[in-house]
């Protein structure tokens, strides 16, 4: 059973096939209007969403399928204390595929262990957001025509920005990618991401403090919101909330064909005046999200039809360390739900939590 929990669950070839399928869907909408007839998607959203949930819904409806689910976990039996594992064991009786957003990092991975149907991570805490990555890749392909030999500036909240983490992972598999990490000290990329990027000989990256110093070099400027909901300390949020504001003056030195991406929602980090600039691609990016999710749903359902669902909870192989360590991350699903403490052994001998990638102490 194939799931999409992390962008690297798809090979580069599979990722490009999904992007290509999305482009075919865009060009031939009628051809796909009944391909998921009789299939149901369950959208289990434990955290607010506009784009992701509604684009999944719209995607399944455009494929001829149906959608069930909840957009507020308080209206489900989660409010009575039902675990992720039990919830998906129930949902599998009603749906053929699940898209889950959860505030706990690793919750969709737990779901994938018990669902028996494909599970799509629709964003887990500040960890990962692989379908936003597919959206970003389709947008980059349509706007720039390539994924390689590009300079990208990621600006804003790189610490909690799950879309940034996932897109960097996906792009780091291509040649000629140069990344500028533009953030205040408090919002630097997490250590596990910096370590992974340092180990990747293909990827060139540098941390900087202003967007102005790198603007002329950029092919893509990826803006992000400072996410109030992720801060445990409100004073820290107040200190960094206005760190970066993109306005037309700052774009004067940018390339004429640079594109500006943003996963949205935005607050004040891109002024309204920028919306009229042809380089502002963030609303085109939203529309691409629906098409790429159509391609993903179709692909995962086809793969599920080829391999019968695995009916039991999984047995972990020796690649993992099970129940010998404890994850130190309070935002990890393993901190609050009764799941196996599951650690992946890394080539350097260290262990990282399989749910949230935090290093074991
Ligand atoms: N980009 C994104 O994940 O938006 P939503 O939070 O509205 O789903």
């Amino acid at each position: 059973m194939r799931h999409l929990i992390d962008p690297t669950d798809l090979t580069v070839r599979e990722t490009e096939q999904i992007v290509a399928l999305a482009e075919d869907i865009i060009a031939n909408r009628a051809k796909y209007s009944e391909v998921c007839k009789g299939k149901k998607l369950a959208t289990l959203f434990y955290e607010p969403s506009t784009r992701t949930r509604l684009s999944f819904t719209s995607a399944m409806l455009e494929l001829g399928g149906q959608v069930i689910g909840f957009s507020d976990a308080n209206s489900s039996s989660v409010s009575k204390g039902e675990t992720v594992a039990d919830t998906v064991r129930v949902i599998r009786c009603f749906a053929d595929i699940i898209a889950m957003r959860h505030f706990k990092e690793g919750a969709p991975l737990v779901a994938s262990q018990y669902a028996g149907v494909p599970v799509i991570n629709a964003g887990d805490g500040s960890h990962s957001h692989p379908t936003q990555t597919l959206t970003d890749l389709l947008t980059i392909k349509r706007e720039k025509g390539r994924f390689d030999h590009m300079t990208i500036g990621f600006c804003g909240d790189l610490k909690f920005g799950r879309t940034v983490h996932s897109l960097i992972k996906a792009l780091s598999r291509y040649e000629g990618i140069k990344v500028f990490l533009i953030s205040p000290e408090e919002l630097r990329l997490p250590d596990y991401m910096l370590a992974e990027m340092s180990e990747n000989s293909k990827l060139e990256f540098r941390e900087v403090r202003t967007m102005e110093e790198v603007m002329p070099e950029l092919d893509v400027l990826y803006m992000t919101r400072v996410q109030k909901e992720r801060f445990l300390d409100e004073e820290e949020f107040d200190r960094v909330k206005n760190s970066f504001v993109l306005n037309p003056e700052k774009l004067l030195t940018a390339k004429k064909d640079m594109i500006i991406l943003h996963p949205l929602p935005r607050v004040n980090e891109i002024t309204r005046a920028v919306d009229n600039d042809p380089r502002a691609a963030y609303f085109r990016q939203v529309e691409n999200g629906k098409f790429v999710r159509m391609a993903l749903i179709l692909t995962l359902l086809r793969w599920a039809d080829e391999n019968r669902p695995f009916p039991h909870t999984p047995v972990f192989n020796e690649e993992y360390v099970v129940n010998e360590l404890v994850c130190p991350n309070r935002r990890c699903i393993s901190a609050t739900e009764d799941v196996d403490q599951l650690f992946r052994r890394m080539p350097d001998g260290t262990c990282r939590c399989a749910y949230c990638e935090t290093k074991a102490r």
Side-chain angles (χ1 to χ4, degrees), residues 60-71:
M60 193 51 161
L61 295 177
E62 286 207 25
L63 292 168
Q66 292 171 299
V67 184
I68 59 170
F70 54 77
S71 56

Side-chain angles (χ1 to χ4, degrees), residues 315-322 342-347 349-354:
V315 178
F316 300 118
N317 60 30
E318 64 285 347
E319 187 191 343
Y320 295 99
V321 176
V322 185
L342 187 59
F343 282 79
R344 197 173 284 131
R345 211 184 282 284
M346 307 308 292
T350 60
C351 290
R352 280 207 220 144
C353 177

Side-chain angles (χ1 to χ4, degrees), residues 157 160 184 186-187 225-243 267-269:
D157 180 357
F160 299 118
E186 295 91 330
L187 296 178
R225 171 177 70 96
V226 178
Q227 302 173 76
K228 188 173 185 189
E229 65 275 23
R230 305 275 178 234
F231 283 77
L232 301 175
D233 175 355
E234 195 155 335
E235 274 182 26
E236 191 180 344
F237 169 73
D238 286 338
R239 263 199 312 278
V240 295
K241 67 182 179 191
N242 297 320
S243 293
V267 185
N268 63 345
E269 61 279 5

